[in-house]
């Protein structure tokens, strides 16, 4: 029954704006490739679903999803904001990581409160990516 309902939703072309994220999604001009594209192409070949890929900057990809102009947002992490716009389906498991450079004299940290206590540490974070409430809070 669920697959019948899902197939009914595929009677129109599904909009999939994408931005490059490494091997999972690649963009070369207007040409989209990568693991996620291959996966959706395989789904398309076995169903009525047609996916229309359009290269866009990451922030626009997120906005299009929020306002309902994108049917699928690939390579995303679950967040309360995204949950308000759609249904999250985990495809891979990943997590943010911290890479530390510097002296061996600096105390190691294992959690964010320990990191924030260290006044001699500079922290740089990648902007424009929402990898969940904890990361945004930090």
């Amino acid at each position: 029954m669920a697959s019948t309902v899902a197939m009914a939703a595929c009677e129109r072309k599904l909009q999939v704006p994408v931005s490059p994220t490494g091997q999972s999604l690649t963009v070369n001009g207007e040409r989209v490739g990568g693991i996620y594209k291959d996966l959706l192409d395989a789904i398309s070949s076995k169903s009525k679903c047609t996916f229309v890929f359009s290269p866009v900057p990451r922030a626009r990809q997120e906005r299009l999803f929020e306002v309902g102009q994108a049917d699928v947002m690939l390579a995303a992490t679950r967040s309360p904001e995204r949950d308000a716009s759609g249904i999250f389906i985990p495809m891979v498991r990943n997590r943010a990581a911290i890479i530390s450079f510097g002296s061996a004299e600096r105390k190691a940290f294992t959690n964010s409160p320990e990191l924030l206590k260290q006044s001699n540490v500079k922290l740089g974070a990648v902007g424009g990516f929402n990898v969940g409430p904890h990361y945004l809070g930090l």
Side-chain angles (χ1 to χ4, degrees):
M1 173 79 169
S3 66
T4 303
V5 172
M7 289 306 144
C10 286
E11 292 183 4
R12 66 174 177 79
K13 294 179 179 180
L14 300 174
Q15 300 301 312
V16 186
V18 297
S19 60
T21 58
Q23 294 302 312
S24 61
L25 280 169
T26 60
V27 175
N28 185 1
E30 291 296 312
R31 185 168 177 222
V32 175
I35 297 164
Y36 288 134
K37 170 126 180 5
D38 293 346
L39 175 65
L40 292 183
D41 286 347
I43 291 169
S44 183
S45 72
K46 296 180 186 331
S47 70
K48 293 181 182 179
C49 297
T50 301
F51 299 96
V52 178
F53 297 90
S54 55
V56 297
R58 180 72 182 187
R60 187 173 309 149
Q61 177 187 22
E62 180 112 19
R63 183 69 181 140
L64 290 169
F65 186 72
E66 288 172 1
V67 299
Q69 293 183 7
D71 296 297
V72 178
M73 184 173 162
L74 295 172
T77 303
R78 187 173 201 167
S79 71
E81 298 81 11
R82 292 180 184 142
D83 282 349
S85 301
I87 299 169
F88 182 75
I89 300 170
M91 296 177 72
V92 295
R93 180 151 171 80
N94 60 15
R95 64 182 190 161
I98 294 178
I99 301 170
S100 176
F101 299 99
S103 107
E105 300 167 12
R106 184 172 56 232
K107 182 183 171 193
F109 55 87
T110 59
N111 57 49
S112 55
E114 286 181 11
L115 169 64
L116 295 173
K117 286 180 190 175
Q118 297 186 37
S119 61
N120 63 335
V121 173
K122 292 181 183 178
L123 182 63
V126 177
F129 282 89
N130 182 347
V131 292
H134 186 77
Y135 180 84
L136 291 176
L138 179 62

